[in-house]
PDB file of all heavy atoms in Angstrom:
ATOM      1  N   GLY A   1     -15.326  -3.535  -6.264  1.00 96.00           N
ATOM      2  CA  GLY A   1     -14.972  -2.183  -6.611  1.00 96.00           C
ATOM      3  C   GLY A   1     -13.504  -1.927  -6.310  1.00 96.00           C
ATOM      4  O   GLY A   1     -12.782  -2.804  -5.822  1.00 96.00           O
ATOM      5  N   ASN A   2     -13.046  -0.707  -6.590  1.00 97.00           N
ATOM      6  CA  ASN A   2     -11.632  -0.406  -6.407  1.00 97.00           C
ATOM      7  C   ASN A   2     -11.462   1.071  -6.068  1.00 97.00           C
ATOM      8  O   ASN A   2     -11.742   1.937  -6.896  1.00 97.00           O
ATOM      9  CB  ASN A   2     -10.845  -0.738  -7.681  1.00 97.00           C
ATOM     10  CG  ASN A   2      -9.353  -0.643  -7.472  1.00 97.00           C
ATOM     11  OD1 ASN A   2      -8.822  -1.185  -6.505  1.00 97.00           O
ATOM     12  ND2 ASN A   2      -8.663   0.040  -8.368  1.00 97.00           N
ATOM     13  N   ALA A   3     -11.011   1.341  -4.848  1.00 97.00           N
ATOM     14  CA  ALA A   3     -10.812   2.722  -4.420  1.00 97.00           C
ATOM     15  C   ALA A   3      -9.469   3.230  -4.922  1.00 97.00           C
ATOM     16  O   ALA A   3      -8.494   2.464  -4.986  1.00 97.00           O
ATOM     17  CB  ALA A   3     -10.862   2.809  -2.900  1.00 97.00           C
ATOM     18  N   PRO A   4      -9.374   4.512  -5.288  1.00 96.00           N
ATOM     19  CA  PRO A   4      -8.055   5.076  -5.614  1.00 96.00           C
ATOM     20  C   PRO A   4      -7.134   4.979  -4.394  1.00 96.00           C
ATOM     21  O   PRO A   4      -7.593   5.046  -3.252  1.00 96.00           O
ATOM     22  CB  PRO A   4      -8.369   6.536  -5.958  1.00 96.00           C
ATOM     23  CG  PRO A   4      -9.840   6.585  -6.215  1.00 96.00           C
ATOM     24  CD  PRO A   4     -10.451   5.506  -5.382  1.00 96.00           C
ATOM     25  N   LEU A   5      -5.839   4.836  -4.647  1.00 95.00           N
ATOM     26  CA  LEU A   5      -4.889   4.716  -3.539  1.00 95.00           C
ATOM     27  C   LEU A   5      -4.946   5.930  -2.625  1.00 95.00           C
ATOM     28  O   LEU A   5      -4.720   5.816  -1.410  1.00 95.00           O
ATOM     29  CB  LEU A   5      -3.473   4.528  -4.094  1.00 95.00           C
ATOM     30  CG  LEU A   5      -3.145   3.144  -4.642  1.00 95.00           C
ATOM     31  CD1 LEU A   5      -1.809   3.163  -5.379  1.00 95.00           C
ATOM     32  CD2 LEU A   5      -3.108   2.111  -3.521  1.00 95.00           C
ATOM     33  N   THR A   6      -5.268   7.089  -3.180  1.00 92.00           N
ATOM     34  CA  THR A   6      -5.312   8.306  -2.369  1.00 92.00           C
ATOM     35  C   THR A   6      -6.521   8.345  -1.433  1.00 92.00           C
ATOM     36  O   THR A   6      -6.546   9.136  -0.484  1.00 92.00           O
ATOM     37  CB  THR A   6      -5.338   9.542  -3.271  1.00 92.00           C
ATOM     38  OG1 THR A   6      -6.386   9.397  -4.249  1.00 92.00           O
ATOM     39  CG2 THR A   6      -3.999   9.712  -3.981  1.00 92.00           C
ATOM     40  N   ASP A   7      -7.540   7.496  -1.689  1.00 94.00           N
ATOM     41  CA  ASP A   7      -8.757   7.486  -0.868  1.00 94.00           C
ATOM     42  C   ASP A   7      -8.964   6.170  -0.125  1.00 94.00           C
ATOM     43  O   ASP A   7      -9.945   6.036   0.620  1.00 94.00           O
ATOM     44  CB  ASP A   7      -9.991   7.741  -1.747  1.00 94.00           C
ATOM     45  CG  ASP A   7      -9.982   9.124  -2.382  1.00 94.00           C
ATOM     46  OD1 ASP A   7      -9.445  10.048  -1.740  1.00 94.00           O
ATOM     47  OD2 ASP A   7     -10.502   9.262  -3.504  1.00 94.00           O
ATOM     48  N   ALA A   8      -8.080   5.215  -0.292  1.00 96.00           N
ATOM     49  CA  ALA A   8      -8.289   3.887   0.254  1.00 96.00           C
ATOM     50  C   ALA A   8      -7.953   3.816   1.744  1.00 96.00           C
ATOM     51  O   ALA A   8      -7.187   4.629   2.274  1.00 96.00           O
ATOM     52  CB  ALA A   8      -7.449   2.869  -0.520  1.00 96.00           C
ATOM     53  N   ASP A   9      -8.546   2.818   2.409  1.00 96.00           N
ATOM     54  CA  ASP A   9      -8.207   2.511   3.807  1.00 96.00           C
ATOM     55  C   ASP A   9      -7.147   1.432   3.893  1.00 96.00           C
ATOM     56  O   ASP A   9      -6.438   1.333   4.894  1.00 96.00           O
ATOM     57  CB  ASP A   9      -9.454   2.022   4.561  1.00 96.00           C
ATOM     58  CG  ASP A   9     -10.557   3.072   4.605  1.00 96.00           C
ATOM     59  OD1 ASP A   9     -10.264   4.214   5.006  1.00 96.00           O
ATOM     60  OD2 ASP A   9     -11.704   2.738   4.232  1.00 96.00           O
ATOM     61  N   VAL A  10      -7.048   0.618   2.846  1.00 97.00           N
ATOM     62  CA  VAL A  10      -6.128  -0.506   2.856  1.00 97.00           C
ATOM     63  C   VAL A  10      -5.758  -0.870   1.424  1.00 97.00           C
ATOM     64  O   VAL A  10      -6.552  -0.669   0.495  1.00 97.00           O
ATOM     65  CB  VAL A  10      -6.765  -1.731   3.577  1.00 97.00           C
ATOM     66  CG1 VAL A  10      -8.017  -2.210   2.840  1.00 97.00           C
ATOM     67  CG2 VAL A  10      -5.773  -2.870   3.742  1.00 97.00           C
ATOM     68  N   ILE A  11      -4.553  -1.380   1.240  1.00 98.00           N
ATOM     69  CA  ILE A  11      -4.118  -1.886  -0.060  1.00 98.00           C
ATOM     70  C   ILE A  11      -4.177  -3.400  -0.029  1.00 98.00           C
ATOM     71  O   ILE A  11      -3.631  -4.044   0.892  1.00 98.00           O
ATOM     72  CB  ILE A  11      -2.685  -1.433  -0.392  1.00 98.00           C
ATOM     73  CG1 ILE A  11      -2.580   0.094  -0.421  1.00 98.00           C
ATOM     74  CG2 ILE A  11      -2.236  -2.011  -1.741  1.00 98.00           C
ATOM     75  CD1 ILE A  11      -1.163   0.604  -0.620  1.00 98.00           C
ATOM     76  N   ILE A  12      -4.830  -3.994  -1.018  1.00 98.00           N
ATOM     77  CA  ILE A  12      -4.862  -5.447  -1.169  1.00 98.00           C
ATOM     78  C   ILE A  12      -3.854  -5.807  -2.252  1.00 98.00           C
ATOM     79  O   ILE A  12      -4.026  -5.460  -3.421  1.00 98.00           O
ATOM     80  CB  ILE A  12      -6.267  -5.963  -1.573  1.00 98.00           C
ATOM     81  CG1 ILE A  12      -7.343  -5.371  -0.650  1.00 98.00           C
ATOM     82  CG2 ILE A  12      -6.290  -7.488  -1.553  1.00 98.00           C
ATOM     83  CD1 ILE A  12      -7.226  -5.772   0.801  1.00 98.00           C
ATOM     84  N   ALA A  13      -2.771  -6.480  -1.875  1.00 98.00           N
ATOM     85  CA  ALA A  13      -1.686  -6.807  -2.800  1.00 98.00           C
ATOM     86  C   ALA A  13      -1.810  -8.252  -3.249  1.00 98.00           C
ATOM     87  O   ALA A  13      -1.850  -9.170  -2.421  1.00 98.00           O
ATOM     88  CB  ALA A  13      -0.334  -6.579  -2.131  1.00 98.00           C
ATOM     89  N   LEU A  14      -1.854  -8.463  -4.560  1.00 98.00           N
ATOM     90  CA  LEU A  14      -2.004  -9.792  -5.145  1.00 98.00           C
ATOM     91  C   LEU A  14      -0.716 -10.157  -5.872  1.00 98.00           C
ATOM     92  O   LEU A  14      -0.381  -9.544  -6.887  1.00 98.00           O
ATOM     93  CB  LEU A  14      -3.191  -9.814  -6.118  1.00 98.00           C
ATOM     94  CG  LEU A  14      -4.521  -9.308  -5.553  1.00 98.00           C
ATOM     95  CD1 LEU A  14      -5.533  -9.121  -6.674  1.00 98.00           C
ATOM     96  CD2 LEU A  14      -5.047 -10.267  -4.496  1.00 98.00           C
ATOM     97  N   GLY A  15       0.024 -11.113  -5.357  1.00 97.00           N
ATOM     98  CA  GLY A  15       1.299 -11.494  -5.959  1.00 97.00           C
ATOM     99  C   GLY A  15       2.094 -12.347  -4.997  1.00 97.00           C
ATOM    100  O   GLY A  15       1.516 -13.079  -4.184  1.00 97.00           O
ATOM    101  N   GLY A  16       3.423 -12.252  -5.076  1.00 94.00           N
ATOM    102  CA  GLY A  16       4.296 -13.001  -4.191  1.00 94.00           C
ATOM    103  C   GLY A  16       4.968 -12.090  -3.186  1.00 94.00           C
ATOM    104  O   GLY A  16       4.632 -10.909  -3.059  1.00 94.00           O
ATOM    105  N   ASP A  17       5.957 -12.636  -2.484  1.00 91.00           N
ATOM    106  CA  ASP A  17       6.647 -11.866  -1.457  1.00 91.00           C
ATOM    107  C   ASP A  17       7.374 -10.654  -2.043  1.00 91.00           C
ATOM    108  O   ASP A  17       7.417  -9.588  -1.417  1.00 91.00           O
ATOM    109  CB  ASP A  17       7.648 -12.763  -0.716  1.00 91.00           C
ATOM    110  CG  ASP A  17       6.950 -13.773   0.187  1.00 91.00           C
ATOM    111  OD1 ASP A  17       6.076 -13.356   0.959  1.00 91.00           O
ATOM    112  OD2 ASP A  17       7.280 -14.969   0.118  1.00 91.00           O
ATOM    113  N   GLY A  18       7.954 -10.804  -3.238  1.00 91.00           N
ATOM    114  CA  GLY A  18       8.632  -9.676  -3.863  1.00 91.00           C
ATOM    115  C   GLY A  18       7.681  -8.550  -4.183  1.00 91.00           C
ATOM    116  O   GLY A  18       7.999  -7.372  -3.964  1.00 91.00           O
ATOM    117  N   PHE A  19       6.495  -8.889  -4.687  1.00 95.00           N
ATOM    118  CA  PHE A  19       5.524  -7.838  -4.992  1.00 95.00           C
ATOM    119  C   PHE A  19       4.995  -7.193  -3.716  1.00 95.00           C
ATOM    120  O   PHE A  19       4.725  -5.986  -3.695  1.00 95.00           O
ATOM    121  CB  PHE A  19       4.363  -8.393  -5.818  1.00 95.00           C
ATOM    122  CG  PHE A  19       3.357  -7.346  -6.190  1.00 95.00           C
ATOM    123  CD1 PHE A  19       3.669  -6.374  -7.131  1.00 95.00           C
ATOM    124  CD2 PHE A  19       2.114  -7.300  -5.570  1.00 95.00           C
ATOM    125  CE1 PHE A  19       2.759  -5.385  -7.458  1.00 95.00           C
ATOM    126  CE2 PHE A  19       1.203  -6.300  -5.888  1.00 95.00           C
ATOM    127  CZ  PHE A  19       1.521  -5.350  -6.838  1.00 95.00           C
ATOM    128  N   LEU A  20       4.859  -7.975  -2.650  1.00 95.00           N
ATOM    129  CA  LEU A  20       4.440  -7.389  -1.377  1.00 95.00           C
ATOM    130  C   LEU A  20       5.447  -6.332  -0.923  1.00 95.00           C
ATOM    131  O   LEU A  20       5.072  -5.257  -0.444  1.00 95.00           O
ATOM    132  CB  LEU A  20       4.301  -8.485  -0.318  1.00 95.00           C
ATOM    133  CG  LEU A  20       3.839  -7.996   1.056  1.00 95.00           C
ATOM    134  CD1 LEU A  20       2.380  -7.549   1.006  1.00 95.00           C
ATOM    135  CD2 LEU A  20       4.013  -9.077   2.111  1.00 95.00           C
ATOM    136  N   LEU A  21       6.726  -6.629  -1.102  1.00 94.00           N
ATOM    137  CA  LEU A  21       7.763  -5.666  -0.747  1.00 94.00           C
ATOM    138  C   LEU A  21       7.622  -4.397  -1.582  1.00 94.00           C
ATOM    139  O   LEU A  21       7.718  -3.280  -1.064  1.00 94.00           O
ATOM    140  CB  LEU A  21       9.137  -6.296  -0.948  1.00 94.00           C
ATOM    141  CG  LEU A  21      10.355  -5.446  -0.568  1.00 94.00           C
ATOM    142  CD1 LEU A  21      10.363  -5.161   0.922  1.00 94.00           C
ATOM    143  CD2 LEU A  21      11.641  -6.156  -0.982  1.00 94.00           C
ATOM    144  N   GLU A  22       7.385  -4.545  -2.886  1.00 95.00           N
ATOM    145  CA  GLU A  22       7.173  -3.384  -3.752  1.00 95.00           C
ATOM    146  C   GLU A  22       5.973  -2.567  -3.274  1.00 95.00           C
ATOM    147  O   GLU A  22       6.011  -1.328  -3.272  1.00 95.00           O
ATOM    148  CB  GLU A  22       6.930  -3.843  -5.187  1.00 95.00           C
ATOM    149  CG  GLU A  22       8.130  -4.463  -5.884  1.00 95.00           C
ATOM    150  CD  GLU A  22       7.778  -4.893  -7.290  1.00 95.00           C
ATOM    151  OE1 GLU A  22       6.816  -4.326  -7.874  1.00 95.00           O
ATOM    152  OE2 GLU A  22       8.449  -5.800  -7.817  1.00 95.00           O
ATOM    153  N   THR A  23       4.910  -3.246  -2.859  1.00 97.00           N
ATOM    154  CA  THR A  23       3.698  -2.556  -2.417  1.00 97.00           C
ATOM    155  C   THR A  23       3.943  -1.780  -1.135  1.00 97.00           C
ATOM    156  O   THR A  23       3.446  -0.664  -0.962  1.00 97.00           O
ATOM    157  CB  THR A  23       2.558  -3.575  -2.226  1.00 97.00           C
ATOM    158  OG1 THR A  23       2.362  -4.309  -3.438  1.00 97.00           O
ATOM    159  CG2 THR A  23       1.260  -2.869  -1.859  1.00 97.00           C
ATOM    160  N   LEU A  24       4.724  -2.352  -0.210  1.00 96.00           N
ATOM    161  CA  LEU A  24       5.052  -1.643   1.022  1.00 96.00           C
ATOM    162  C   LEU A  24       5.849  -0.367   0.710  1.00 96.00           C
ATOM    163  O   LEU A  24       5.603   0.689   1.303  1.00 96.00           O
ATOM    164  CB  LEU A  24       5.833  -2.556   1.957  1.00 96.00           C
ATOM    165  CG  LEU A  24       5.035  -3.692   2.609  1.00 96.00           C
ATOM    166  CD1 LEU A  24       5.973  -4.698   3.269  1.00 96.00           C
ATOM    167  CD2 LEU A  24       4.046  -3.139   3.633  1.00 96.00           C
ATOM    168  N   HIS A  25       6.785  -0.453  -0.217  1.00 95.00           N
ATOM    169  CA  HIS A  25       7.529   0.744  -0.622  1.00 95.00           C
ATOM    170  C   HIS A  25       6.605   1.761  -1.290  1.00 95.00           C
ATOM    171  O   HIS A  25       6.756   2.975  -1.105  1.00 95.00           O
ATOM    172  CB  HIS A  25       8.664   0.358  -1.570  1.00 95.00           C
ATOM    173  CG  HIS A  25       9.926  -0.060  -0.876  1.00 95.00           C
ATOM    174  ND1 HIS A  25      10.806   0.841  -0.336  1.00 95.00           N
ATOM    175  CD2 HIS A  25      10.439  -1.297  -0.625  1.00 95.00           C
ATOM    176  CE1 HIS A  25      11.826   0.190   0.218  1.00 95.00           C
ATOM    177  NE2 HIS A  25      11.625  -1.102   0.054  1.00 95.00           N
ATOM    178  N   ARG A  26       5.653   1.271  -2.054  1.00 95.00           N
ATOM    179  CA  ARG A  26       4.693   2.165  -2.710  1.00 95.00           C
ATOM    180  C   ARG A  26       3.847   2.898  -1.669  1.00 95.00           C
ATOM    181  O   ARG A  26       3.614   4.106  -1.777  1.00 95.00           O
ATOM    182  CB  ARG A  26       3.809   1.356  -3.650  1.00 95.00           C
ATOM    183  CG  ARG A  26       2.888   2.176  -4.541  1.00 95.00           C
ATOM    184  CD  ARG A  26       2.158   1.256  -5.509  1.00 95.00           C
ATOM    185  NE  ARG A  26       1.298   1.974  -6.420  1.00 95.00           N
ATOM    186  CZ  ARG A  26       0.521   1.398  -7.328  1.00 95.00           C
ATOM    187  NH1 ARG A  26       0.537   0.069  -7.440  1.00 95.00           N
ATOM    188  NH2 ARG A  26      -0.243   2.108  -8.121  1.00 95.00           N
ATOM    189  N   ALA A  27       3.398   2.154  -0.646  1.00 95.00           N
ATOM    190  CA  ALA A  27       2.617   2.778   0.431  1.00 95.00           C
ATOM    191  C   ALA A  27       3.440   3.830   1.154  1.00 95.00           C
ATOM    192  O   ALA A  27       2.941   4.894   1.523  1.00 95.00           O
ATOM    193  CB  ALA A  27       2.141   1.702   1.404  1.00 95.00           C
ATOM    194  N   LEU A  28       4.716   3.538   1.325  1.00 93.00           N
ATOM    195  CA  LEU A  28       5.619   4.477   1.984  1.00 93.00           C
ATOM    196  C   LEU A  28       5.807   5.737   1.145  1.00 93.00           C
ATOM    197  O   LEU A  28       5.881   6.851   1.670  1.00 93.00           O
ATOM    198  CB  LEU A  28       6.960   3.789   2.219  1.00 93.00           C
ATOM    199  CG  LEU A  28       7.942   4.420   3.198  1.00 93.00           C
ATOM    200  CD1 LEU A  28       7.318   4.587   4.566  1.00 93.00           C
ATOM    201  CD2 LEU A  28       9.194   3.560   3.286  1.00 93.00           C
ATOM    202  N   GLY A  29       5.861   5.572  -0.166  1.00 91.00           N
ATOM    203  CA  GLY A  29       6.007   6.717  -1.049  1.00 91.00           C
ATOM    204  C   GLY A  29       4.778   7.609  -1.072  1.00 91.00           C
ATOM    205  O   GLY A  29       4.878   8.828  -1.247  1.00 91.00           O
ATOM    206  N   LEU A  30       3.599   7.013  -0.867  1.00 90.00           N
ATOM    207  CA  LEU A  30       2.362   7.794  -0.881  1.00 90.00           C
ATOM    208  C   LEU A  30       2.206   8.626   0.391  1.00 90.00           C
ATOM    209  O   LEU A  30       1.720   9.749   0.360  1.00 90.00           O
ATOM    210  CB  LEU A  30       1.158   6.849  -1.025  1.00 90.00           C
ATOM    211  CG  LEU A  30       0.977   6.202  -2.393  1.00 90.00           C
ATOM    212  CD1 LEU A  30      -0.051   5.087  -2.306  1.00 90.00           C
ATOM    213  CD2 LEU A  30       0.534   7.247  -3.417  1.00 90.00           C
ATOM    214  N   ASN A  31       2.601   8.052   1.526  1.00 89.00           N
ATOM    215  CA  ASN A  31       2.461   8.755   2.802  1.00 89.00           C
ATOM    216  C   ASN A  31       3.494   8.192   3.766  1.00 89.00           C
ATOM    217  O   ASN A  31       3.290   7.134   4.360  1.00 89.00           O
ATOM    218  CB  ASN A  31       1.052   8.576   3.366  1.00 89.00           C
ATOM    219  CG  ASN A  31       0.796   9.445   4.592  1.00 89.00           C
ATOM    220  OD1 ASN A  31       1.728   9.828   5.309  1.00 89.00           O
ATOM    221  ND2 ASN A  31      -0.465   9.749   4.849  1.00 89.00           N
ATOM    222  N   ARG A  32       4.589   8.893   3.918  1.00 86.00           N
ATOM    223  CA  ARG A  32       5.679   8.401   4.758  1.00 86.00           C
ATOM    224  C   ARG A  32       5.296   8.390   6.235  1.00 86.00           C
ATOM    225  O   ARG A  32       5.708   7.516   6.985  1.00 86.00           O
ATOM    226  CB  ARG A  32       6.924   9.268   4.536  1.00 86.00           C
ATOM    227  CG  ARG A  32       8.168   8.783   5.271  1.00 86.00           C
ATOM    228  CD  ARG A  32       9.308   9.763   5.071  1.00 86.00           C
ATOM    229  NE  ARG A  32      10.502   9.399   5.814  1.00 86.00           N
ATOM    230  CZ  ARG A  32      11.481   8.656   5.331  1.00 86.00           C
ATOM    231  NH1 ARG A  32      11.419   8.211   4.094  1.00 86.00           N
ATOM    232  NH2 ARG A  32      12.530   8.377   6.077  1.00 86.00           N
ATOM    233  N   GLU A  33       4.490   9.383   6.662  1.00 86.00           N
ATOM    234  CA  GLU A  33       4.151   9.476   8.079  1.00 86.00           C
ATOM    235  C   GLU A  33       3.129   8.421   8.493  1.00 86.00           C
ATOM    236  O   GLU A  33       3.182   7.924   9.620  1.00 86.00           O
ATOM    237  CB  GLU A  33       3.618  10.872   8.396  1.00 86.00           C
ATOM    238  CG  GLU A  33       4.674  11.969   8.257  1.00 86.00           C
ATOM    239  CD  GLU A  33       4.147  13.327   8.670  1.00 86.00           C
ATOM    240  OE1 GLU A  33       2.949  13.422   9.058  1.00 86.00           O
ATOM    241  OE2 GLU A  33       4.915  14.296   8.604  1.00 86.00           O
ATOM    242  N   ARG A  34       2.224   8.084   7.631  1.00 89.00           N
ATOM    243  CA  ARG A  34       1.201   7.087   7.952  1.00 89.00           C
ATOM    244  C   ARG A  34       0.863   6.278   6.696  1.00 89.00           C
ATOM    245  O   ARG A  34      -0.173   6.474   6.072  1.00 89.00           O
ATOM    246  CB  ARG A  34      -0.046   7.761   8.518  1.00 89.00           C
ATOM    247  CG  ARG A  34      -0.996   6.825   9.226  1.00 89.00           C
ATOM    248  CD  ARG A  34      -2.110   7.598   9.912  1.00 89.00           C
ATOM    249  NE  ARG A  34      -1.630   8.404  11.012  1.00 89.00           N
ATOM    250  CZ  ARG A  34      -1.430   7.930  12.244  1.00 89.00           C
ATOM    251  NH1 ARG A  34      -1.654   6.658  12.494  1.00 89.00           N
ATOM    252  NH2 ARG A  34      -0.993   8.725  13.206  1.00 89.00           N
ATOM    253  N   PRO A  35       1.733   5.345   6.326  1.00 94.00           N
ATOM    254  CA  PRO A  35       1.478   4.538   5.122  1.00 94.00           C
ATOM    255  C   PRO A  35       0.220   3.677   5.287  1.00 94.00           C
ATOM    256  O   PRO A  35      -0.098   3.230   6.399  1.00 94.00           O
ATOM    257  CB  PRO A  35       2.730   3.660   5.020  1.00 94.00           C
ATOM    258  CG  PRO A  35       3.741   4.296   5.920  1.00 94.00           C
ATOM    259  CD  PRO A  35       2.988   4.982   6.990  1.00 94.00           C
ATOM    260  N   LEU A  36      -0.465   3.461   4.195  1.00 96.00           N
ATOM    261  CA  LEU A  36      -1.632   2.587   4.225  1.00 96.00           C
ATOM    262  C   LEU A  36      -1.233   1.177   4.647  1.00 96.00           C
ATOM    263  O   LEU A  36      -0.177   0.676   4.247  1.00 96.00           O
ATOM    264  CB  LEU A  36      -2.282   2.523   2.839  1.00 96.00           C
ATOM    265  CG  LEU A  36      -3.074   3.739   2.361  1.00 96.00           C
ATOM    266  CD1 LEU A  36      -3.501   3.540   0.913  1.00 96.00           C
ATOM    267  CD2 LEU A  36      -4.292   3.961   3.248  1.00 96.00           C
ATOM    268  N   PRO A  37      -2.064   0.506   5.452  1.00 96.00           N
ATOM    269  CA  PRO A  37      -1.791  -0.901   5.757  1.00 96.00           C
ATOM    270  C   PRO A  37      -1.929  -1.748   4.496  1.00 96.00           C
ATOM    271  O   PRO A  37      -2.689  -1.409   3.580  1.00 96.00           O
ATOM    272  CB  PRO A  37      -2.847  -1.260   6.803  1.00 96.00           C
ATOM    273  CG  PRO A  37      -3.932  -0.255   6.626  1.00 96.00           C
ATOM    274  CD  PRO A  37      -3.281   0.999   6.116  1.00 96.00           C
ATOM    275  N   VAL A  38      -1.201  -2.853   4.476  1.00 97.00           N
ATOM    276  CA  VAL A  38      -1.191  -3.735   3.305  1.00 97.00           C
ATOM    277  C   VAL A  38      -1.628  -5.132   3.729  1.00 97.00           C
ATOM    278  O   VAL A  38      -1.089  -5.713   4.688  1.00 97.00           O
ATOM    279  CB  VAL A  38       0.210  -3.796   2.662  1.00 97.00           C
ATOM    280  CG1 VAL A  38       0.215  -4.789   1.489  1.00 97.00           C
ATOM    281  CG2 VAL A  38       0.638  -2.410   2.180  1.00 97.00           C
ATOM    282  N   TYR A  39      -2.602  -5.662   3.003  1.00 97.00           N
ATOM    283  CA  TYR A  39      -3.092  -7.022   3.201  1.00 97.00           C
ATOM    284  C   TYR A  39      -2.760  -7.800   1.932  1.00 97.00           C
ATOM    285  O   TYR A  39      -3.273  -7.491   0.852  1.00 97.00           O
ATOM    286  CB  TYR A  39      -4.600  -7.001   3.451  1.00 97.00           C
ATOM    287  CG  TYR A  39      -5.246  -8.348   3.643  1.00 97.00           C
ATOM    288  CD1 TYR A  39      -5.368  -8.920   4.906  1.00 97.00           C
ATOM    289  CD2 TYR A  39      -5.769  -9.048   2.561  1.00 97.00           C
ATOM    290  CE1 TYR A  39      -5.983 -10.144   5.085  1.00 97.00           C
ATOM    291  CE2 TYR A  39      -6.385 -10.273   2.724  1.00 97.00           C
ATOM    292  CZ  TYR A  39      -6.497 -10.819   3.990  1.00 97.00           C
ATOM    293  OH  TYR A  39      -7.099 -12.038   4.160  1.00 97.00           O
TER     294      TYR A  39
END
C-alpha cells in the first residue's frame, strides 16, 4: 500500500544518493519543524 505524504510515518525513497537528497529536501518542505524520517 501507499500512504499519502501528509499521513505517513516514514518516507521510503527508491533511487540513488541524489534522489535521497531530493527526498530529504521534500520532507523538509512538508514539515520544517519535524520532517518525516527517510529510509
Side-chain angles (χ1 to χ4, degrees):
N2 189 48
L5 284 170
T6 51
D7 296 328
D9 299 308
V10 62
I11 301 175
I12 310 297
L14 307 169
D17 288 310
F19 182 71
L20 181 70
L21 182 64
E22 292 179 24
T23 304
L24 289 168
H25 275 282
R26 188 175 182 182
L28 196 57
L30 288 168
N31 188 335
R32 185 184 177 92
E33 293 184 359
R34 196 173 293 276
L36 286 174
V38 177
Y39 179 90

